[in-house]
Amino acid sequence: NLVKKYCPKRSSKDEEPRFTSCIAFFNILNELNDYAGQREVVAEEMGHRVYGELMRYSHDLKTERKMHLQEGRKAQQYLDMCWKQMDNSKKKFERECREAEKAQQSYERLDNDTNATKADVEKAKQQLNLRTHMADENKNEYAAQLQNFNGEQHKHYYIVIPQIYKQLQEMDERRTIKLSECYKGFADSERKVIPIISKCLEGMILAAKSVDEHRDSQLVIDCFKSGFEPPGDFPFEDYSQNIYRTISDGTISTPKQEGMRIDSKTTVGKAKGKLWLFGKKPKGPALEDFSHLPPEQRRKKLQQRIDELNRELQKETDQKDALIKMRDVYEKNPQMGDPSSLQPKLAETMSNMDRLRMEIHKNEAWLSEVEGKVAARTDRRHSSDINHLVTQGRESPEGSYTDDANQEVRGPPQQHAHPNEFDDEFEDDDPLPAIGHCKAIYPFDGHNEGTLAMKEGEILYIIEEDKGDGWTRARRQNGEEGYVPTSYIDVTLEKNSKGS
């Protein structure tokens, strides 16, 4: 369950670079999954061979022990019964002896009494004889019961009970042996999986050793390198020309100096804005040609899109070939299907192929443009090593480079990129006009740079609509501007500004 929880859910289209530390972690997860499988094998072996066997044997032992204890109770009950019979005969013999003694004393008293009649003496004598006979019979019975009890008692303590105890002892010894076998079975079940577990642990160690910090660093560099050229040296602006210039020269040189000042300012602003790790990242929607990205990233994205379009085109081509073959089969064997029924699907496939070819051609043109500018930038970089007075490596607003250095110095910056992409860099420009207003439905903290905090119910001006990224640019009455989440506000746009 832990492996499934932490195993990454990546799609087949995920082509992000794989760091060695991530690959090692995934390999360790796979080894851990195998390790967990071996633990399940041990658990099953324990359940069937150890725990299940112990439970069955314990039930049998309980039944056997109950039987032996019942035999012991029966033997004890039989001995108690013999003792009661012997005790009853003893008491009866004792009682008859006392009665015989009384009869004898009565006979002797009447026999010595001179006033007693002969009939009374004879009657007392007969009573004495009767009691003496009954006492003798009880004596014999008591002796027999006593002999029987002594025999049963000897048998009970020397034969029956020792036999029961012996059976209980043997049963307990078998139980101990069974426990020993289960202990061994537990150890065997663990020992069986040790080789596989050792391989899993060795795989984890190898995965840990495969981590290469230099390769990971290079992957980060390859993934995020922008391709921007560091800004070139600033040219020397000779303000002393105003002292010696003629009236006719002033009309020519003045725009040049202004152009140079404007270009220097924008160059500094753009260079500052490009350092996204240490400064502001330009806000703006993602453009279709990826011109909002740095050159190197733009080239990678365009190449990825071209590869995806080529794969889709290949799928459509295969589908077209399959449809044509099926149509030929239908034409040869009309009973299998109507050839005309495939025509709409075939036409749709051909349309998709044309659309994909156009997309590929368009993206290849953009890619050629990027690669050409990178090559031109490389040539300029070599020339800048020879002549440092010429300003090289200036960027155009869309993140590319112009070929003519003089054009950069004299002319204003070209506005091919989205007008809002570098708004943060031109802080001295006039504020954008409001195109509507909004009301804050929820409060927003606005901790991130470039965002605007707002309270629930606050009214703000809308100066830029949501371009699809979920953010709307707004301005307070005091002039403070920033981006707010579109889902947090209720927007009302002016009728004449919609669609502009």
Side-chain angles (χ1 to χ4, degrees):
N1 290 335
L2 287 175
V3 171
K4 291 179 181 178
K5 179 179 179 181
Y6 288 99
C7 193
K9 299 177 177 60
R10 299 186 305 275
S11 62
S12 59
K13 296 182 180 180
D14 190 4
E15 298 178 358
E16 291 296 323
R18 297 289 302 277
F19 299 105
T20 58
S21 58
C22 296
I23 296 174
F25 179 69
F26 301 151
N27 292 335
I28 288 176
L29 281 181
N30 293 331
E31 297 292 347
L32 187 61
N33 189 40
D34 297 338
Y35 185 97
Q38 296 305 310
R39 300 310 309 171
E40 289 182 356
V41 171
V42 173
E44 292 177 358
E45 187 77 10
M46 287 280 294
H48 294 295
R49 184 175 175 181
V50 180
Y51 176 75
E53 186 67 22
L54 279 179
M55 292 301 294
R56 289 189 294 270
Y57 195 73
S58 176
H59 181 268
D60 296 340
L61 286 180
K62 287 180 180 179
T63 304
E64 184 179 354
R65 180 176 179 273
K66 185 177 180 181
M67 180 185 69
H68 293 322
L69 294 179
Q70 286 179 352
E71 291 177 356
R73 282 193 292 270
K74 288 180 181 179
Q76 187 64 41
Q77 290 173 0
Y78 179 71
L79 183 63
D80 293 342
M81 182 187 68
C82 293
W83 180 83
K84 287 181 180 180
Q85 290 178 355
M86 183 271 296
D87 188 60
N88 290 335
S89 62
K90 177 183 176 182
K91 290 179 180 179
K92 189 175 181 181
F93 171 61
E94 182 183 3
R95 185 171 61 253
E96 290 299 331
C97 286
R98 286 197 300 267
E99 292 295 333
E101 289 177 0
K102 289 181 182 179
Q104 184 177 2
Q105 291 175 1
S106 176
Y107 170 72
E108 290 176 354
R109 187 178 63 253
L110 290 176
D111 188 37
N112 295 327
D113 189 4
T114 55
N115 296 325
T117 62
K118 187 176 180 179
D120 291 336
V121 174
E122 191 63 28
K123 184 177 179 181
K125 186 177 180 180
Q126 291 178 357
Q127 187 67 24
L128 174 61
N129 292 333
L130 178 62
R131 290 296 178 184
T132 302
H133 179 70
M134 292 182 64
D136 291 338
E137 289 181 355
N138 283 300
K139 179 181 179 180
N140 294 333
E141 184 180 357
Y142 168 62
Q145 290 293 336
L146 180 61
Q147 184 179 5
N148 180 62
F149 173 74
N150 289 332
E152 293 296 335
Q153 182 175 258
H154 184 276
K155 180 181 177 182
H156 178 80
Y157 286 106
Y158 286 93
I159 298 177
V160 178
I161 293 301
Q163 184 67 25
I164 293 176
Y165 277 122
K166 184 178 180 181
Q167 292 173 351
L168 289 173
Q169 180 180 350
E170 291 176 354
M171 180 193 72
D172 192 66
E173 289 176 354
R174 293 198 309 272
R175 178 187 66 85
T176 306
I177 294 174
K178 193 67 177 179
L179 282 176
S180 174
E181 293 177 354
C182 290
Y183 296 156
K184 183 181 178 182
F186 166 71
D188 289 340
S189 61
E190 290 281 351
R191 186 167 54 186
K192 288 179 182 178
V193 300
I194 285 179
I196 301 179
I197 289 180
S198 298
K199 291 183 180 179
C200 293
L201 296 177
E202 290 175 1
M204 293 181 186
I205 294 174
L206 292 176
K209 291 181 178 179
S210 67
V211 176
D212 187 353
E213 67 278 9
H214 301 296
R215 181 182 175 187
D216 288 353
S217 299
Q218 189 61 41
L219 285 174
V220 174
I221 294 172
D222 294 339
C223 181
F224 294 104
K225 67 179 179 181
S226 64
F228 286 128
E229 185 74 13
D233 296 338
F234 277 87
F236 178 75
E237 300 180 13
D238 191 2
Y239 294 100
S240 62
Q241 292 179 2
N242 295 327
I243 301 174
Y244 303 105
R245 67 181 180 176
T246 61
I247 298 175
S248 59
D249 294 334
T251 57
I252 300 175
S253 60
T254 301
K256 179 178 180 180
Q257 297 297 331
E258 292 177 355
M260 290 177 62
R261 282 195 289 271
I262 294 174
D263 186 70
S264 300
K265 179 179 178 180
T266 50
T267 304
V268 173
K270 284 182 287 185
K272 179 181 177 182
K274 295 304 179 184
L275 299 176
W276 293 345
L277 182 61
F278 308 107
K280 292 183 179 180
K281 184 174 181 179
K283 294 184 177 68
L287 302 178
E288 183 184 5
D289 60 351
F290 300 113
S291 59
H292 62 287
L293 294 176
E296 185 66 23
Q297 299 299 317
R298 183 187 181 193
R299 184 186 64 79
K300 288 183 179 180
K301 290 289 185 181
L302 288 172
Q303 187 62 52
Q304 291 176 3
R305 181 187 286 174
I306 291 172
D307 294 340
E308 292 177 1
L309 291 173
N310 283 324
R311 286 194 292 269
E312 293 180 8
L313 180 60
Q314 184 62 39
K315 290 181 182 178
E316 294 293 337
T317 303
D318 295 341
Q319 185 175 1
K320 183 197 72 171
D321 295 339
L323 290 172
I324 292 175
K325 290 180 180 179
M326 189 179 297
R327 185 183 63 183
D328 295 340
V329 171
Y330 287 174
E331 289 176 352
K332 294 178 180 178
N333 302 294
Q335 67 274 11
M336 296 184 65
D338 185 11
S340 60
S341 62
L342 300 177
Q343 192 62 33
K345 185 65 177 177
L346 189 59
E348 181 184 356
T349 304
M350 297 293 290
S351 176
N352 292 336
M353 291 175 61
D354 294 338
R355 177 182 57 82
L356 290 172
R357 288 193 183 98
M358 292 178 60
E359 289 289 331
I360 292 173
H361 179 71
K362 180 171 62 175
N363 283 274
E364 285 178 347
W366 288 334
L367 181 61
S368 300
E369 176 188 356
V370 174
E371 291 176 345
K373 289 180 179 179
V374 170
R377 182 197 66 192
T378 305
D379 295 338
R380 289 197 308 272
R381 182 173 57 194
H382 290 305
S383 64
S384 65
D385 294 337
I386 301 173
N387 185 8
H388 293 284
L389 298 178
V390 182
T391 303
Q392 298 291 345
R394 299 297 179 89
E395 303 170 18
S396 63
E398 71 271 15
S400 61
Y401 296 82
T402 56
D403 295 329
D404 189 359
N406 296 327
Q407 201 175 21
E408 290 181 341
V409 175
R410 294 176 179 273
Q414 300 176 7
Q415 299 295 331
H416 293 300
H418 194 279
N420 297 322
E421 184 175 359
F422 299 105
D423 282 341
D424 293 339
E425 301 169 2
F426 302 97
E427 298 177 355
D428 296 334
D429 294 344
D430 294 334
L432 295 174
I435 59 175
H437 64 276
C438 67
K439 181 179 181 181
I441 306 175
Y442 309 104
F444 179 62
D445 295 335
H447 294 313
N448 295 332
E449 188 176 4
T451 58
L452 180 65
M454 60 182 181
K455 299 179 181 179
E456 184 178 356
E458 185 176 358
I459 304 298
L460 303 172
Y461 294 110
I462 300 297
I463 58 177
E464 181 183 326
E465 293 185 66
D466 186 355
K467 302 300 182 182
D469 56 356
W471 295 90
T472 300
R473 191 171 180 181
R475 181 171 62 224
R476 284 201 179 95
Q477 294 181 358
N478 60 3
E480 185 179 0
E481 297 180 2
Y483 287 88
V484 296
T486 307
S487 58
Y488 280 42
I489 57 176
D490 183 13
V491 180
T492 303
L493 299 178
E494 301 295 338
K495 292 183 179 180
N496 58 357
S497 65
K498 292 183 179 179
S500 60

